[in-house]
Amino acid sequence: MVRPVVGAVVTLAALVSACAPIAGPVVVEALVPDASARGGTKLDDVTLTSVTDLAAGKGSLFDVRGGLKVNITDLNAISEDDFEEMIARVRGDNGNDVNACMDFDGTRYVACDYETLFYFSMFANFESAFARAVDFGDESDATQRKGVVGLFASVQYSEFFPVTLLSTDNAAYAPPVDGWLALRTAFQDGVPFAMHRGVISHEFGHRLFFHNVFRAVDGGFEVWRADSTQTELTKDEVREQMLLKGTDEGLADVFSMSALVDKDSINTAFEDAGDAFAAEAPRRDVEGAFARAATYDNLRELTLDAKLLQSCGLTGSEFQTSFNFYCVGTVLAAALWEASDSDADILASDMEPAIVRALPRVGEQLVNGAAFDVDLFLEPLAQELAPGVRRGALCEAATRRFSSLVDAGRIPSCL
């Protein structure tokens, strides 16, 4: 939770907020993207437009709640409750209002402690992600439903067994709360993940995927519910889950790249975060050594170079529980990058809007009983791209990266 204003110093913001909420548009100082700066960010002025009470963390698109304790492992809430009931139970007490410490210098609000700078930067990042998703044509609840962000949240086992499972060094979208968890920094260096717009855009991409695939289609939530609560899985079911998670991760990276119009939107955050995290950067780089060499088939067949394969956790069974599904995500992201002529402007203008339009078709196939494989996304995407240059480029990339799926006729638009 953001700490309260204490002592004898009473800021102008505190005085104003005692009378009336500070609502947008309002200018704050926050960390913003800057590809030339270390860590990809710099301090600058940002105009927040959706905020309805700056001091308390409230907005029209989402609320920021301090100290949110999420009962993320409450499988009963997921398996028994409807969508709204699940969210209410998993969010627990819903945290508390932010109590921002800030000064007004005549033109902008400036944080007077780290927690408030964290909050300002995070708010700006989420506001940007919402706006970019609308730019790309999203009309689902990903952008139309009010969200929640848990500032310095923690994940606990359950309300009745409040053992903390996760509380630091991450930012994440959690479908059971239909919101994001922005955790404290403990071990990472550089810019905290929730203050990095590339990371927050990636996490927004997960909400885009969840709502378009599992909630925009009748019966989709029931498919997600069954998948999320099933504990005894066959090998085929494990494989489907690994590939679905990998697709979700790859598309979240692509959304981040598109939102920032920067292929390195994710890499910079990991590179700057230090030894425990920096190793992730080269594997997520869509032009890195891993992305250049890896394909769906050499991961499946374990024929990728051993040093590159090692990071994917494959130990003899294709796409099973030991598999690092982010590896398939990188293969997919690299394919979509290549299909955009390795041009961030084309990725944002042509590819990302087509992805948004294609996602509900994935949900329709799952509701109709299809077993998930990446072709369930690639074929609808190909259909959303007009015949010609861009569809042709996608099919060329799919043939390189997913050759067995193309050869089997599972992406008919590429035959």
Side-chain angles (χ1 to χ4, degrees):
M1 178 178 69
V2 173
R3 74 177 184 222
V5 180
V6 295
V9 177
V10 180
T11 66
L12 177 60
L15 292 172
V16 172
S17 64
C19 301
I22 303 165
V26 59
V27 180
V28 301
E29 184 182 55
L31 282 177
V32 300
D34 183 353
S36 65
R38 184 175 182 271
T41 61
K42 68 177 182 180
L43 277 173
D44 205 350
D45 292 348
V46 179
T47 300
L48 305 180
T49 59
S50 68
V51 66
T52 58
D53 188 338
L54 184 65
K58 296 179 180 179
S60 60
L61 299 175
F62 55 91
D63 288 335
V64 179
R65 305 296 296 167
L68 185 67
K69 294 182 179 179
V70 176
N71 306 309
I72 201 72
T73 57
D74 191 345
L75 293 182
N76 289 333
I78 299 173
S79 62
E80 298 173 2
D81 297 345
D82 66 20
F83 183 66
E84 300 294 347
E85 292 169 339
M86 174 188 72
I87 291 170
R89 195 184 336 180
V90 178
R91 285 186 186 179
D93 65 5
N94 207 36
N96 43 60
D97 287 350
V98 169
N99 191 358
C101 178
M102 54 192 176
D103 296 299
F104 186 64
D105 67 4
T107 59
R108 62 181 181 162
Y109 289 93
V110 179
C112 56
D113 62 11
Y114 164 76
E115 289 89 347
T116 303
L117 177 62
F118 190 107
Y119 154 57
F120 282 172
S121 301
M122 185 184 68
F123 201 104
N125 291 339
F126 276 110
E127 198 172 72
S128 173
F130 267 86
R132 292 299 283 154
V134 171
D135 289 343
F136 298 138
D138 181 70
E139 297 179 347
S140 75
D141 275 358
T143 51
Q144 303 306 307
R145 176 187 171 88
K146 189 172 181 177
V148 67
V149 181
L151 177 61
F152 303 141
S154 60
V155 176
Q156 62 185 22
Y157 188 81
S158 72
E159 182 180 1
F160 304 105
F161 188 46
V163 175
T164 299
L165 304 177
L166 179 67
S167 63
T168 64
D169 299 303
N170 206 350
Y173 172 71
V177 299
D178 192 27
W180 298 271
L181 312 180
L183 307 186
R184 290 185 179 275
T185 300
F187 302 106
Q188 74 160 107
D189 296 324
V191 177
F193 291 135
M195 297 174 77
H196 196 288
R197 189 164 297 180
V199 173
I200 291 304
S201 297
H202 169 98
E203 297 306 332
F204 190 92
H206 287 309
R207 192 187 203 211
L208 197 69
F209 186 90
F210 173 73
H211 278 285
N212 278 283
V213 173
F214 294 113
R215 293 202 64 244
V217 179
D218 288 343
F221 178 67
E222 285 68 30
V223 171
W224 175 84
R225 181 209 301 275
D227 186 58
S228 300
T229 56
Q230 191 173 357
T231 56
E232 295 184 6
L233 302 173
T234 67
K235 282 190 173 182
D236 285 345
E237 288 168 338
V238 171
R239 184 181 190 278
E240 291 170 37
Q241 285 198 359
M242 292 297 104
L243 292 172
L244 182 63
K245 290 177 180 179
T247 299
D248 189 0
E249 293 296 344
L251 293 181
D253 275 2
V254 170
F255 178 80
S256 178
M257 293 160 60
S258 300
L260 275 69
V261 196
D262 178 8
K263 81 169 186 66
D264 296 315
S265 63
I266 293 292
N267 305 352
T268 52
F270 286 116
E271 288 169 357
D272 200 43
D275 291 342
F277 306 92
E280 184 71 7
R283 193 175 61 247
R284 302 283 280 279
D285 183 353
V286 291
E287 291 185 348
F290 177 84
R292 290 196 304 272
T295 69
Y296 172 92
D297 291 296
N298 63 29
L299 290 177
R300 179 174 61 85
E301 298 164 359
L302 309 180
T303 55
L304 179 65
D305 176 86
K307 289 182 179 179
L308 297 175
L309 192 62
Q310 185 177 12
S311 67
C312 294
L314 293 172
T315 57
S317 299
E318 65 166 54
F319 305 141
Q320 293 301 300
T321 52
S322 64
F323 176 60
N324 181 350
F325 50 80
Y326 284 90
C327 291
V328 161
T330 297
V331 171
L332 178 59
L336 300 180
W337 174 246
E338 292 163 357
S340 303
D341 299 341
S342 301
D343 185 315
D345 288 313
I346 294 175
L347 188 75
S349 64
D350 294 3
M351 193 61 65
E352 187 61 40
I355 291 170
V356 171
R357 295 192 301 270
L359 287 176
R361 299 267 300 285
V362 177
E364 290 172 3
Q365 294 172 89
L366 294 175
V367 168
N368 289 329
F372 185 82
D373 207 328
V374 186
D375 59 289
L376 265 64
F377 164 71
L378 288 173
E379 173 58 19
L381 178 61
Q383 292 183 18
E384 290 296 339
L385 296 170
V389 173
R390 198 57 50 217
R391 185 188 290 183
L394 175 67
C395 289
E396 289 179 11
T399 299
R400 285 193 301 271
R401 300 289 185 167
F402 300 91
S403 60
S404 62
L405 297 180
V406 175
D407 292 345
R410 294 177 62 171
I411 310 175
S413 295
C414 292
L415 294 179

